[in-house]
Amino acid sequence: AMADFFESLQRSMRYYGDLPPEFLLTHPVTESRITDTRSRASQMPITPSSKSLEFELMKARMTVDFAKDAVAKVTDLERQRKDSKVFLEILEYALACAYYKTNRLDDAIDTMENLLEKRPNRITYVATLAEILNKAGRYKEAAKLLEKGLEYTPNNYVLSVHYADSLTLMNKTDHAVLVLREQITWQPNWPILWFMLAEAYGKANDRLNVYQAKAEYYFLYGHVHKAIEQLEYAIPLAQNQFQITSRIRQRIQEIRQSTEGLDF
């Protein structure tokens, strides 16, 4: 990457004519410097980022998520399973993810349940199985599984997010809002939490809070005008609720001030 960076600098120098930037006067970019940098980089030993099980599980999941042909991926993983004489945990997890991606939900659930039997407290397995159960419409089972997981890892982010999803899908929106609000106190700048909160309020037909949650979601993605628009939609719904109206107007002012001098 350093060599590529030097090459980019060298290409950009042609726009400066005879007077390059001051920092390049003392650190000129030359062909020999680029070659030397690339040579030294090639001599660096290649070491794996991690040998932990969690790293390998996430690596397997990403391989499945970015597979161009998910069905072919399932076939390949099933062949590897058949050829193996031992239980390969990472392979089984990858296969469960591939089943999930191809909507073979019963196979995905069976595979994840087998993994959970071996490691009943592994958060990744609990979360993945709950995710699959939610997609299969088995919300109560997902919620029960997640509640058990949250007993030994209270407020865990990934379990809480899937739990809130289960609650929303079951129309237990008040509880879902509480779970999401708790997570937002820890991670206020994560857009997904505000998006899910808006969904929960939407299920509860609470338009006032839908607009406020959507405003934060848009703001965090840099859509300032949309954020302000959502808050302006919320003001009439507050009617005579002076404190809420004042808070919304204050938030509009804060958003505008945060972007002063920026071109949107």
Side-chain angles (χ1 to χ4, degrees), residues 179-247:
V179 173
L180 290 168
R181 285 287 184 188
E182 177 68 22
Q183 288 302 310
I184 286 171
T185 61
W186 298 102
Q187 306 292 350
N189 296 323
W190 287 20
I192 183 62
L193 293 174
W194 291 104
F195 181 83
M196 292 182 69
L197 187 62
E199 282 194 325
Y201 281 130
K203 264 292 187 78
N205 294 314
D206 185 347
R207 291 170 57 210
L208 173 60
N209 278 308
V210 167
Y211 288 136
Q212 292 181 82
K214 277 189 174 180
E216 299 304 324
Y217 170 76
Y218 284 130
F219 177 67
L220 289 170
Y221 272 118
H223 302 306
V224 175
H225 297 310
K226 285 186 176 180
I228 293 173
E229 184 180 59
Q230 293 294 313
L231 291 172
E232 288 174 341
Y233 289 154
I235 290 174
L237 297 176
Q239 297 180 344
N240 297 324
Q241 301 178 69
F242 175 76
Q243 288 185 333
I244 295 175
T245 303
S246 297
R247 186 170 66 244

Side-chain angles (χ1 to χ4, degrees), residues 10 13 24 36 44 51 54 68 70 75 80 99-100 104 109-110 124 133 147-150 187 193 196 218:
Q10 188 181 50
M13 282 177 62
L24 288 180
D36 179 57
M44 293 294 292
K51 292 184 179 180
E54 191 64 25
K68 293 182 179 179
T75 302
Q80 292 182 50
Y99 285 145
Y100 173 61
R104 290 175 57 177
I109 290 169
D110 289 342
T124 297
L133 289 169
E147 285 167 358
K148 183 179 178 181
L150 287 166
Q187 306 292 350
L193 293 174
M196 292 182 69
Y218 284 130

Side-chain angles (χ1 to χ4, degrees), residues 8-25 29:
S8 295
L9 277 179
Q10 188 181 50
R11 285 194 299 270
S12 68
M13 282 177 62
R14 66 178 181 271
Y15 299 112
Y16 290 95
D18 296 329
L19 188 62
E22 185 177 350
F23 70 90
L24 288 180
L25 295 176
V29 178

Side-chain angles (χ1 to χ4, degrees), residues 146-166:
L146 291 162
E147 285 167 358
K148 183 179 178 181
L150 287 166
E151 285 178 3
Y152 58 83
T153 54
N155 295 322
N156 177 273
Y157 170 76
V158 68
L159 297 185
S160 295
V161 166
H162 288 301
Y163 185 42
D165 193 28
S166 299

Side-chain angles (χ1 to χ4, degrees), residues 50-64:
S50 173
K51 292 184 179 180
S52 71
L53 174 60
E54 191 64 25
F55 175 83
E56 294 300 332
L57 292 174
M58 292 302 100
K59 181 179 176 181
R61 178 158 187 159
M62 290 300 100
T63 301
V64 171

